[in-house]
Amino acid sequence: MLFGFLVVAGVVVVVLVPAADILKRAKEENADVIALSALMTTTMQKMREVVQVVRESGLNTKVMIGGAVITPEFMKEIGADGYAKDAAEAVKVAKSL
């Protein structure tokens, strides 16, 4: 489970939600980007599930990640499309995806 939904200009931001629900909402909103944030290593492992569910669904939505415990290397490891170290950078990354 990851962190409700906040939709900002077609971007779904997730808060404490199972991967299947994130995918469902992204489809409903026709989201361009799913942005995930983790502050603990236990939470970051759930990001892998979200990326996997999105990829398996065939949905053409980009997944970006960030947060205190997240690194660009972890982004590559789980197959996410983007990484941002903070909210300001996340806006730039989302626009570039």
Side-chain angles (χ1 to χ4, degrees):
M1 188 173 293
L2 282 173
F3 294 89
F5 291 110
L6 172 62
V7 180
V8 181
V11 177
V12 178
V13 182
V14 184
V15 183
L16 282 179
V17 178
D21 291 349
I22 294 168
L23 177 63
K24 179 181 177 207
R25 186 64 182 259
K27 287 179 178 179
E28 291 171 357
E29 298 293 336
N30 196 28
D32 297 315
V33 176
I34 297 171
L36 307 170
S37 177
L39 299 176
M40 302 179 301
T41 55
T42 53
T43 308
M44 71 187 269
Q45 296 308 318
K46 297 298 182 178
M47 292 176 163
R48 184 184 316 270
E49 290 177 30
V50 174
V51 171
Q52 182 179 353
V53 167
V54 170
R55 299 297 181 253
E56 289 173 355
S57 76
L59 190 64
N60 193 28
T61 299
K62 303 295 184 186
V63 180
M64 60 182 287
I65 64 173
V69 295
I70 304 303
T71 64
E73 293 76 23
F74 183 68
M75 175 204 71
K76 292 175 188 171
E77 178 185 323
I78 67 171
D81 300 296
Y83 160 81
K85 65 181 179 186
D86 57 36
E89 185 176 311
V91 172
K92 294 175 187 171
V93 171
K95 288 180 179 179
S96 74
L97 295 175

